Amino acid sequence: MSPRPPKDDFSDADLKVGPPKQAAAGISSIGHAMGPAFRNIGPRKTFRATFSMNHKRGFDCPSCAWISEDKPPAIDLCENGMKSLTSEVTPLIIPSGFWPEYSLDSMLDKSEFWLGRQGRITEPVYRPKGSDHYEVVTWDRALGLVADRLRSLDSPDRAVFYTSGRIMNEPAFLYQLFAREFGTNNLPDCSNMCHEATGTGMRWSIGVGKSTVSYSDFDQADLILVMGQNPGTNHPRMLNALEGAKQHGAEIVGINPLPEAALIRYRNPQKPRGLVGKGTKISDQFVHIRVGGDQHLMRAIAKRVFQAEAAAPGTVIDHEFIDRYCEGFEAYREAALALDDDEVLATTGLGADEIDELADRYIRSDATIITWALGLTQQQTAVATITEIMNLLFLKGNIGRPGAGASPIRGHSNVQGDRTMGIWEQMGDWFLDSLRDEFGFEPPREHGFDTVKAIDAMERGEVDFFMSMAGNFVAAVSDSTRAEQGMTRTGMTVHVSTKLNRSHVACGEESLILPVLGRSERDVQASGDQVVTAEDSVCRITASKGNMEPVAENLLSDVSVVTRLARLTMPDSNIDWEGFESDYDRIRDPISRVIPGFEDFNRKLDEDGTFILPHGPRDSRTFPTVSGKARFAADGAPVLEVPPGRLILNTVRAHDQHNTAILGLNDRYRGIRKGRFVVFVSPEDLEALGLSDGQTVDVFSERPGEDDRVLRGYRAVDYPTKRGCAAMYFPEANELVHRSAVAEVCNTPAYKDVIIRLEPGANRVAGGRPTAI
């Protein structure tokens, strides 16, 4: 019998703080993965999932976007993937009586942890205007209400269609098709909040905003730089690749403000050495960098490359690659050599000897991979940092070479695929022309709202309708209180979801929740069981076929929601929406004609279940930039100014967490148990600020010309983060990120370089919760 959800929310009254771990995974990770699964979904489902997830003809992991091997092991999952799956297939469902019992006002005081633990949503529910409760409605009424609201809008551009990375390729393609036939490019997505800087920077540099490496490249690399990421929590299967690289002789350098356990050592739970031995040392060098110093570090390495080349001409820089494939080299050379060394040391917080050591590793390497994640892409200078990484790779020809390249690691399992399918407010004319030619309507051409612009428009009263395909929009976006205020001013909000979250309670004047199948559950349509696909971090398309029985009979698939809504909203449409719902092969047929690389889509899936998309820079050193060349960027390297007595805040995920979904209250690698309301600060900074370990503090964020944001009642934790830097958990700390604090050029919220001050706070009573004022 499954446990009932708690009526009371958690507090941090029982918070325990211990020393951070010095290794990731190990035998304990098996218990942490399988224990909750056995308890909550039972042995049968657990074993079935264990041998189905990430396997050919099985289903894709609902967690991260790390790649699967061509020949995966018998068990190809990680602790956090299993936790996400357990949450998805839980037999615990929200009963009909829940909705009259809990008002929206009462749920506004609940945490994400409490909301998610109530179970799966299995009935469409509707919150009428003026009511403080959702009520159960039929699917016909729910979809009819949505279609009626859409048809009543004064302009299609008063609607916003948001997408999360949970959505697979086929429903994503239909969703953008529906929005564009309806008449708008307002298609913000979670990429706007995570890897937008990667796409923007890499497209400028090489013409393609995706990884230039394959899985096999890790085994052929001489050097791997792991920047701005915590693979042990956010994409644990990557540790297998790093361990394999070490066994093949690669050196690995971890570059991060926090010394994460996975950057120190990995104890592979599928190998004896990982279970009972010491495991594998990951970082040969750990570069404990200050937040905001990554671009300066990359350029400082480049400066040393130029100096080494001057000392031994023709032996360091790959002039053949640069002369044949690149432009802007001389301007970049001048900029790199002019870099101020003292500024580098101040900005990075490193010693010259540390940078010399790292540069020497790069110079000696004939094949280097640089891999990064949100620690780099959510800073205000993120795009410049990404182009700087590309500059450094160009110097030694580390693009389109075995064992080398750029490897951005996506944080959600199909966030990259959604963008490939056209979920973007700025899709180019080539894509829109292809839609026109395939479906016979003229798509809108004016760019739509990204995430930040969508919230701004809500605040101005310019959005009457907001629809979210999965995700937790108001929790994920910056400046949380303002985001919720904007959402509540929207006429109607619609959430296609599996479980309850903050966006369902901080909602529009009217709101609906439409419950859908999880990725692991069987999707049966008129033509039989259906298959969908996902794109991972290295451009691999993989089939995913759920094999678990749905937790309830009343659930629809994502495809069914979109197609039925399209038919009701646009009854005169010439698009075969009904046919798309009945057989997903019919969706893949137009995809194969609209999107390059998907030719013979259905045949490839039927034969192999997977294929790799073409990639010019990776495959043939063909660069689809304006000039046809890879481009060096010689712009200046900005310095993040930090006033005295202030720290730079970096938001992070806990180990028991997937994006905004809080799956548990422990962050065991960092030594935190039974709580989340902490701020990690170095012991030196605590002393300098006159604070002590365990003290209650109020956290203020500062931005010139704007009011401070504040979170009150957090516990200061003595932690080995970089001096001058602090860390707090996402999404709670999003309250501290001003809306105007965004990455230049790409408009991503800057969650990773927030200027904060800490002040002594009033001690909270036992069980009290922090507050945002």
Side-chain angles (χ1 to χ4, degrees):
M1 182 177 179
S2 63
R4 300 309 304 164
K7 285 186 174 293
D8 296 323
D9 208 345
F10 84 97
S11 74
D12 66 347
D14 298 321
L15 174 69
K16 305 294 183 185
V17 180
K21 302 292 185 184
Q22 298 300 302
I27 194 169
S28 63
S29 67
I30 300 175
H32 286 289
M34 295 302 178
F38 275 100
R39 289 193 299 271
N40 292 295
I41 66 176
R44 181 174 173 273
K45 278 191 174 181
T46 299
F47 281 117
R48 187 169 192 178
T50 298
F51 294 100
S52 298
M53 191 157 64
N54 301 317
H55 282 270
K56 190 174 183 180
R57 310 305 178 190
F59 56 86
D60 197 55
C61 177
S63 185
C64 78
W66 182 251
I67 56 179
S68 295
E69 302 177 52
D70 290 326
K71 296 180 180 179
I75 299 176
D76 188 24
L77 53 83
C78 70
E79 175 187 339
N80 284 0
M82 197 65 187
K83 289 176 184 174
S84 293
L85 177 67
T86 300
S87 176
E88 176 179 284
V89 300
T90 175
L92 183 64
I93 63 174
I94 295 180
S96 299
F98 174 90
W99 306 107
E101 180 179 357
Y102 288 97
S103 67
L104 291 177
D105 186 62
S106 69
M107 288 191 285
L108 281 171
D109 291 331
K110 301 297 187 182
S111 69
E112 289 288 358
F113 180 60
W114 186 92
L115 293 170
R117 289 191 72 192
Q118 302 313 299
R120 286 284 294 273
I121 306 169
T122 60
E123 305 166 294
V125 292
Y126 169 55
R127 178 264 182 108
K129 185 175 182 178
S131 173
D132 197 33
H133 287 267
Y134 281 102
E135 59 189 47
V136 176
V137 295
T138 65
W139 272 108
D140 286 345
R141 185 174 181 220
L143 294 176
L145 286 165
V146 178
D148 288 345
R149 174 55 69 108
L150 284 169
R151 289 197 302 270
S152 73
L153 298 182
D154 293 337
S155 164
D157 287 326
R158 296 190 70 84
V160 172
F161 297 89
Y162 174 77
T163 313
S164 161
R166 182 185 71 77
I167 303 304
M168 303 294 267
N169 287 329
E170 289 75 8
F173 181 79
L174 295 185
Y175 190 54
Q176 64 80 29
L177 179 64
F178 167 51
R180 289 188 166 106
E181 188 183 24
F182 180 69
T184 186
N185 280 316
N186 287 340
L187 283 157
D189 70 333
C190 56
S191 282
N192 295 149
M193 293 184 278
C194 59
H195 267 284
E196 198 67 66
T198 290
T200 302
M202 290 186 68
R203 278 193 304 273
W204 191 91
S205 294
I206 63 172
V208 178
K210 299 181 181 182
S211 173
T212 71
V213 305
S214 66
Y215 188 90
S216 62
D217 284 318
F218 282 82
D219 285 342
Q220 301 176 70
D222 294 336
L223 175 67
I224 302 171
L225 307 188
V226 184
M227 302 184 68
Q229 58 184 294
N230 177 16
T233 290
N234 298 332
H235 29 269
R237 285 191 294 158
M238 181 187 185
L239 294 174
N240 292 332
L242 297 179
E243 180 181 53
K246 290 299 293 286
Q247 292 170 351
H248 286 89
E251 293 181 338
I252 296 178
V253 177
I255 304 170
N256 207 55
L258 281 75
E260 306 288 14
L263 299 177
I264 300 170
R265 186 173 294 275
Y266 173 45
R267 299 180 63 194
N268 189 332
Q270 296 196 47
K271 294 183 178 181
R273 182 180 179 185
L275 291 173
V276 297
K278 294 183 177 180
T280 302
K281 180 181 177 182
I282 294 299
S283 293
D284 297 284
Q285 178 186 1
F286 179 68
V287 178
H288 202 187
I289 194 169
R290 178 178 177 267
V291 172
D294 302 284
Q295 185 188 4
H296 279 79
L297 176 61
M298 294 293 99
R299 188 163 290 189
I301 298 170
K303 180 176 183 178
R304 287 158 171 79
V305 170
F306 283 116
Q307 291 170 337
E309 173 71 11
T315 65
V316 179
I317 291 176
D318 189 339
H319 288 285
E320 181 180 356
F321 173 84
I322 292 168
D323 292 344
R324 183 173 180 180
Y325 297 110
C326 299
E327 65 179 6
F329 173 73
E330 288 300 329
Y332 179 67
R333 178 179 177 277
E334 292 179 9
L337 290 173
L339 185 66
D340 186 295
D341 293 337
D342 291 335
E343 182 178 284
V344 169
L345 301 184
T347 302
T348 63
L350 301 172
D353 57 337
E354 295 177 270
I355 301 175
D356 289 343
E357 179 183 348
L358 176 54
D360 182 63
R361 293 180 190 275
Y362 185 73
I363 290 167
R364 287 189 287 103
S365 170
D366 290 326
T368 298
I369 292 173
I370 303 180
T371 177
W372 67 89
L374 305 191
L376 268 61
T377 64
Q378 292 179 333
Q379 299 183 29
Q380 293 172 77
T381 58
V383 174
T385 299
I386 302 308
T387 57
E388 197 67 48
I389 289 172
M390 302 309 295
N391 290 340
L392 185 59
L393 290 170
F394 295 159
L395 288 180
K396 288 180 64 66
N398 282 309
I399 299 291
R401 168 189 292 176
S407 176
I409 306 300
R410 311 288 173 170
H412 208 319
S413 55
N414 197 44
V415 62
Q416 185 165 301
D418 289 346
R419 184 58 62 87
T420 301
M421 291 295 108
I423 301 289
W424 192 27
E425 74 279 358
Q426 300 180 46
M427 288 302 289
D429 284 340
W430 69 268
F431 181 86
L432 302 177
D433 289 345
S434 293
L435 285 185
R436 177 198 61 205
D437 296 343
E438 177 68 26
F439 295 105
F441 73 93
E442 184 59 50
R445 302 285 166 157
E446 184 177 352
H447 290 173
F449 295 142
D450 63 17
T451 293
V452 171
K453 290 179 180 178
I455 284 286
D456 287 341
M458 289 178 187
E459 285 191 336
R460 296 192 301 267
E462 297 173 4
V463 176
D464 296 322
F465 176 89
F466 174 87
M467 182 171 178
S468 178
M469 287 294 288
N472 186 359
F473 186 77
V474 297
V477 77
S478 56
D479 226 343
S480 307
T481 298
R482 282 187 62 193
E484 292 185 8
Q485 291 170 349
M487 185 69 77
T488 58
R489 293 172 186 165
T490 302
M492 174 180 279
T493 54
V494 180
H495 301 276
V496 180
S497 303
T498 58
K499 303 187 81 173
L500 199 59
N501 66 45
R502 182 74 179 181
S503 296
H504 302 148
V505 297
C507 57
E509 295 175 350
E510 291 182 86
S511 184
L512 293 104
I513 309 174
L514 307 180
V516 289
L517 296 167
R519 186 176 299 181
S520 60
E521 293 172 316
R522 291 182 65 204
D523 180 358
V524 182
Q525 303 294 346
S527 62
D529 283 270
Q530 301 301 307
V531 172
V532 289
T533 59
E535 180 181 349
D536 63 27
S537 283
V538 297
C539 313
R540 182 199 297 270
I541 304 298
T542 304
S544 179
K545 185 176 182 179
N547 60 14
M548 303 284 188
E549 290 303 318
V551 298
E553 295 181 356
N554 198 38
L555 301 175
L556 294 184
S557 70
D558 295 322
V559 166
S560 292
V561 170
V562 174
T563 55
R564 294 184 189 186
L565 183 57
R567 289 161 59 194
L568 288 171
T569 305
M570 301 174 292
D572 296 328
S573 172
N574 292 320
I575 295 174
D576 185 14
W577 296 106
E578 186 173 5
F580 289 154
E581 182 182 10
S582 68
D583 186 349
Y584 296 179
D585 281 356
R586 296 186 183 183
I587 307 172
R588 287 183 282 271
D589 284 337
I591 291 175
S592 71
R593 294 185 291 268
V594 170
I595 304 176
F598 285 85
E599 296 81 5
D600 297 321
F601 195 175
N602 280 310
R603 180 188 61 78
K604 291 174 182 176
L605 287 189
D606 290 342
E607 291 180 357
D608 300 316
T610 184
F611 61 94
I612 302 289
L613 293 176
H615 189 301
R618 178 197 67 204
D619 301 337
S620 60
R621 289 183 163 176
T622 301
F623 299 97
T625 60
V626 174
S627 64
K629 298 277 190 179
R631 300 192 285 184
F632 281 92
D635 298 332
V639 175
L640 179 63
E641 300 292 343
V642 183
R646 298 332 188 237
L647 304 174
I648 312 171
L649 176 67
N650 173 33
T651 65
V652 298
R653 294 187 207 167
H655 192 63
D656 285 358
Q657 178 177 351
H658 175 59
N659 294 340
T660 59
I662 312 304
L663 306 178
L665 298 176
N666 297 329
D667 189 9
R668 61 190 181 89
Y669 291 158
R670 298 191 184 107
I672 302 297
R673 296 180 58 225
K674 299 183 179 181
R676 294 180 56 82
F677 307 130
V678 299
V679 52
F680 298 102
V681 186
S682 74
E684 297 87 355
D685 284 323
L686 284 176
E687 182 178 2
L689 294 171
L691 301 172
S692 59
D693 180 33
Q695 184 174 347
T696 299
V697 296
D698 297 336
V699 186
F700 296 81
S701 63
E702 301 177 349
R703 188 163 176 82
E706 298 194 48
D707 294 337
D708 291 348
R709 306 294 190 260
V710 59
L711 286 172
R712 299 189 185 277
Y714 273 64
R715 175 171 170 173
V717 173
D718 179 326
Y719 196 83
T721 187
K722 183 66 177 179
R723 180 79 190 268
C725 302
M728 295 172 69
Y729 292 129
F730 164 97
E732 292 90 342
N734 290 357
E735 175 68 24
L736 299 173
V737 185
H738 289 75
R739 177 81 53 75
S740 62
V742 295
E744 298 170 4
V745 185
C746 71
N747 215 34
T748 295
Y751 304 97
K752 304 299 188 192
D753 55 2
V754 183
I755 304 301
I756 63 169
R757 73 178 187 275
L758 303 180
E759 296 183 0
N763 288 323
R764 284 179 283 125
V765 297
R769 294 173 55 78
T771 57
I773 303 296

